[in-house]
Amino acid sequence: MPGVSSYESTFTELEPGLKKADPSWVHDLRRTGLERFKTLGFPTLREEEWRFTRTRPIAELDFRPAVEAKNVDEDAILSRTFDDSHCDRLVFVNGRPAPSLSRISKQRGVWMGSLSLAFSERADRVKTLLGQRVNLSKHRFAALNAAFWSDGMYVEVADSVVVDKPIHVVHVTVPGATPSMTHPRLVVVADRSAEATLIESHIALEDAAYFTNAVCEMVCGDNASITHWKVQRESTRAFHIAMQHATLGNNARFSTMNVSMGGALVRNDVHTILDGEGIDARVDGLYLAGGRQHIDNHTFIRHAKPHCHSFELYKGILDGHSRGVFNGRIYVDPAAQKTDAKQENNCMLLSDDARINSNPQLEIFADDVKCTHGAAIGKHDEDAVFYMRSRGISATDARDLMVYAFASEVLERIGETALKVRLQDDIFEWLERSRRERV
């Protein structure tokens, strides 16, 4: 089994080129990431955070860095995402910027572009942000990303600037003849009273086995606002591991949503740190799995200061022999009085063979708080299906409408109409595909 040693040997091969291309502090970060990954290794089922998710299928394959690919066009992106003609767009193909597919407008007070370009134009600021908040000693796949990322996206919004267009970041994987890996990196900072909306898409052009290991770091300053939607539509044979870390300042407004539809094995770690007073944070998710897919969502919301509000809603729809995991943890510091935190995880099982492990958690060390959590797991409402059938709606359509109604509570949170419509269509396409797989 290749395991950790194969990544070490691959890094040794790449290191001379990486060291030449990057500033010295970036290479130090890469070397630190590799050392942390070597120390931690791949997780096992004996570890509490990974007891329902086997990563051995990733460890068993010898993934090589994805090679440059040029057979991607505009139609390929639009057919797998949505009509983003009203958005700025930055495309990465196999981890490399694709200027011919990107579309970036100029706005005073807004800097967006590749990390490699940011190293020369925004070096001092990038140095204070990149890799400074994710704990590499604890999160092994984030450490692996730190060692191997080739390029990424950097967005910086100055004080009081409102970005006038949504920013669509598209990560495209074009698998090769052998298993490949990419390590996308996204860094976003909204300074005091700034506002930005980002859409993050992960897509593939072929149904093949490959490994995406992504890290997203966001900093939302005092009185600033960041809205972030991530949609993962990768190959059903792919492995997708992602770490998302957001740090929020005083009176910040932050909303994030993770939608997972593809992947054989998916793990999303979503960490949101409320590090100021008066913060309003929303953390949502929707995951759909069929066949033998496995989707694991681990969320962590830390209330570090008083007078903050967080609301979390994750919904899952599982069919076939799929497996889902939800582990949601809300942590309230002793200083975080007047905290108002709500967490809910609901899952609909469409098959007797589908399984979900749900573990909502509250850790409260303050005494003047309002915190609730809950989980509900079940099948669609047979009485509602019977009622619709009595009105002439077929059994299949009735079930599909029930599933859509279940998911719509999350989708209605999306303020981008074109994206929302595409996701609505995706749900019905997914239901049709699931029916074919059961036959």
Side-chain angles (χ1 to χ4, degrees), residues 159-176:
D159 291 353
S160 303
V161 173
V162 177
V163 182
D164 53 17
K165 295 181 181 180
I167 303 167
H168 188 198
V169 182
V170 187
H171 295 285
V172 184
T173 298
V174 183

Side-chain angles (χ1 to χ4, degrees), residues 279-294:
I279 297 170
D280 189 359
R282 178 98 191 194
V283 179
D284 294 323
L286 177 66
Y287 49 103
L288 296 87
R292 295 190 177 276
Q293 287 180 276
H294 181 103

Side-chain angles (χ1 to χ4, degrees), residues 319 396 399-400 431-439:
D319 204 353
T396 297
R399 193 195 74 152
D400 287 358
L431 287 166
E432 184 178 351
R433 186 166 60 251
S434 292
R435 283 195 295 272
R436 291 198 302 267
E437 291 174 352
R438 287 199 303 270
V439 175

Side-chain angles (χ1 to χ4, degrees), residues 257 285-288 313 315-317 348 400-414 423-424 427:
M257 180 183 296
L286 177 66
Y287 49 103
L288 296 87
L313 175 62
K315 287 197 168 188
I317 303 168
M348 180 179 286
D400 287 358
L401 288 171
M402 290 296 299
V403 173
Y404 172 75
F406 176 79
S408 63
E409 184 179 1
V410 177
L411 295 183
E412 288 303 317
R413 294 284 304 169
I414 298 176
L423 289 174
Q424 290 169 345
I427 290 175

Side-chain angles (χ1 to χ4, degrees), residues 416-427:
E416 175 56 50
T417 302
L419 174 61
K420 179 162 59 178
V421 170
R422 174 59 196 262
L423 289 174
Q424 290 169 345
D425 292 340
D426 285 342
I427 290 175

